[in-house]
Amino acid sequence: MDGAPMTLAEGKKLPEHLDTPPRAPGGRPLVGHMKALLADPLGLLAALPHLGDVVELRFGRTPTYVVCSPEAAQHVLRNPDHAFDKGGTFYENMRSIIGDGMATCPLAQHKRLRRLAQPAFATSRMTGYARTIQAQLDAFTSTWRPGQTLDVLPQLRSLATRTTLATMFRRREFGPEIAGLRQAVTDFIDHQTILRMIAPGLNRLPTARNRRYRKSEARLLRFLQEEIIAYRRDGIDHGDLMSMFTTHPEDDRLSDQEVRDTAMTVLLGGITTTALSQAWALHQLSQDPALDAEVAGEAHAITLLDQGRSAAEVMDQLPLTRGVVAEVLRRRVASWIFTRVAVADTAIGSCRIPASAQVLLSPYVLHHRPDLFPSPDNFDPHRWDGRDPHRTKGWLPFGAGESKCIGYELAFMDLTLSLAHITRSWRLQPCPAPVRPRPRMHLEPHGLTLRLADRSPH
Ligand code: HEM
């Protein structure tokens, strides 16, 4: 036995015999593993499953437990004993940037927010969103020219900003103000360094970067408040997310503040992750012309949307494209880490976790376990042939449990449609500069530029 027996949240007794999780080697006095995490975060994390299902890292005084097996991750995310809550440095950082919305608030407030926002993401609304996304893709890619070199991330951030705004606010057309909204997203992304995740207090310092973000945040909040007033006034379902966030019975509805927080989360969280995943997908296709041609071969299916078919029917006709998306979300998962905090002494499997400890979840670690995904460093969309990623053990790009990404179906569809749309008309050729994964708050393809070529050369 290791120490005194502990009591779980809700009075359940913990087993008497619990192990202390192994500590990762290489920690230094005072700073612990901070230096190693800053130097090579992916390398540090990928080595941990060899040590155990739960492994301790140290950043200063608070212990951090990294969850390395799918069972342990499911336990923390599904949280059957209510022993974990949103918290830890990832969420402290997020809260200090975007406030206390659905994604960041404690679980006690989360259930109600989630219930009220969920109808906006119902499967029955996906066909409408698919049409909106399709129209944005048409407009956006119509400005591309053969031979043009794309600075991929800014381009795709622009595209994701447009499609997200259009799925959120169908009531109106966007004019020049889209540049201001895009700036707010860019300023948000500037905040997403690993250092800020470890030391969220940095967001409160009076630096030029923080002031710039607060200015664009204020502009975004003003815009959202005006929209909330307009949506509440007309009360019409415009087939978008905002109509659903603002239409509930008087006595059971999201307050203006809650709608603003939810909209901020969707804008800032959804845009970044979607753009990064699209960028990784285009990078992968540019590396493999045969796969690229195969994906283009099924892309004509997107025209079915114009013929009145549903989003589900179109998705059915894009099996390989869906495989590419599932594989991108595995190998280059945007949300490579996020955290929880233990609210009581508890256990993960046979490992003792003390109250207040931080728990670090890393889909990246799980997605690179060779026992779950053979040859994990190979990009192989065919590993998803006939297999539903959403039912695959250890595939957790959207998390799991009550806080699983509310936009997962929309995001998966958006990624599939945009890939089909782009490959149908364009071949993307790699540029010589090396592309490397850069883990910040999300996993970025650093240095990615691609050259556009017509799919059918004249
Ligand atoms: C590839 C794209 C995306 C990825 C990889 C992704 C990933 C995630 C993950 C891992 C979480 C759960 C974090 C946790 O449990 O701590 C999450 C939550 C969330 N995501 Fe996404 N997301 C994506 C796109 C989107 C989109 C498009 C939207 C909205 C339109 C969205 C809205 C949200 C919201 C509101 C939450 C908080 C849910 C809750 O706490 O109940 N996400 N996302």
Side-chain angles (χ1 to χ4, degrees), residues 32-149:
H33 296 91
M34 180 135 19
K35 207 170 159 209
L37 187 79
L38 290 173
D40 179 14
L42 299 179
L44 174 71
L45 291 179
L48 300 183
H50 298 295
L51 301 173
D53 285 357
V54 181
V55 179
E56 186 188 337
L57 292 178
R58 283 262 163 182
F59 307 109
R61 270 176 302 170
T62 315
T64 294
Y65 295 99
V66 185
V67 164
C68 299
S69 78
E71 293 77 15
Q74 290 286 350
H75 175 78
V76 173
L77 292 171
R78 296 193 183 275
N79 202 11
D81 304 316
H82 308 288
F84 303 100
D85 205 340
K86 289 278 180 77
T89 48
F90 178 90
Y91 277 108
E92 281 163 33
N93 179 48
M94 287 281 279
R95 273 181 198 139
S96 69
I97 304 174
I98 60 170
D100 232 354
M102 187 205 316
T104 44
C105 69
L107 290 177
Q109 293 152 39
H110 172 266
K111 213 181 175 97
R112 183 181 146 273
L113 295 179
R114 176 86 186 205
R115 174 174 59 76
L116 291 171
Q118 191 73 58
F121 298 91
T123 301
S124 57
R125 296 184 72 80
M126 292 299 148
T127 301
Y129 299 152
R131 297 219 166 89
T132 306
I133 290 168
Q134 176 110 311
Q136 293 301 320
L137 281 162
D138 279 338
F140 191 77
T141 54
S142 69
T143 62
W144 288 359
R145 296 287 169 261
Q148 186 183 338
T149 299

Side-chain angles (χ1 to χ4, degrees), residues 86 91 102 110 114 266 273 277 335 338 340 397-398 405-406:
K86 289 278 180 77
Y91 277 108
M102 187 205 316
H110 172 266
R114 176 86 186 205
V266 167
T273 46
S277 309
S335 300
F338 44 94
R340 292 289 187 270
F398 298 111
C405 177
I406 201 169

Side-chain angles (χ1 to χ4, degrees), residues 403-425:
S403 281
K404 178 173 178 173
C405 177
I406 201 169
Y408 82 93
E409 197 178 342
L410 176 58
F412 201 99
M413 180 181 79
D414 184 342
L415 292 172
T416 309
L417 293 180
S418 52
L419 213 51
H421 194 283
I422 292 171
T423 50
R424 188 158 179 253
S425 309

Side-chain angles (χ1 to χ4, degrees), residues 309-330:
R309 308 283 279 276
S310 71
E313 287 173 295
V314 174
M315 292 288 282
D316 266 356
Q317 301 297 315
L318 296 166
L320 179 60
T321 317
R322 282 189 281 118
V324 170
V325 171
E327 186 67 347
V328 162
L329 292 172
R330 180 193 69 80

Side-chain angles (χ1 to χ4, degrees), residues 407-455:
Y408 82 93
E409 197 178 342
L410 176 58
F412 201 99
M413 180 181 79
D414 184 342
L415 292 172
T416 309
L417 293 180
S418 52
L419 213 51
H421 194 283
I422 292 171
T423 50
R424 188 158 179 253
S425 309
W426 299 100
R427 277 187 302 121
L428 290 133
Q429 298 167 329
C431 290
V435 177
R436 61 176 178 83
R438 181 164 70 157
R440 300 177 80 220
M441 187 187 280
H442 295 111
L443 191 64
E444 301 178 358
H446 187 61
L448 179 59
T449 49
L450 293 170
R451 221 174 133 268
L452 286 171
D454 247 340
R455 170 67 55 191

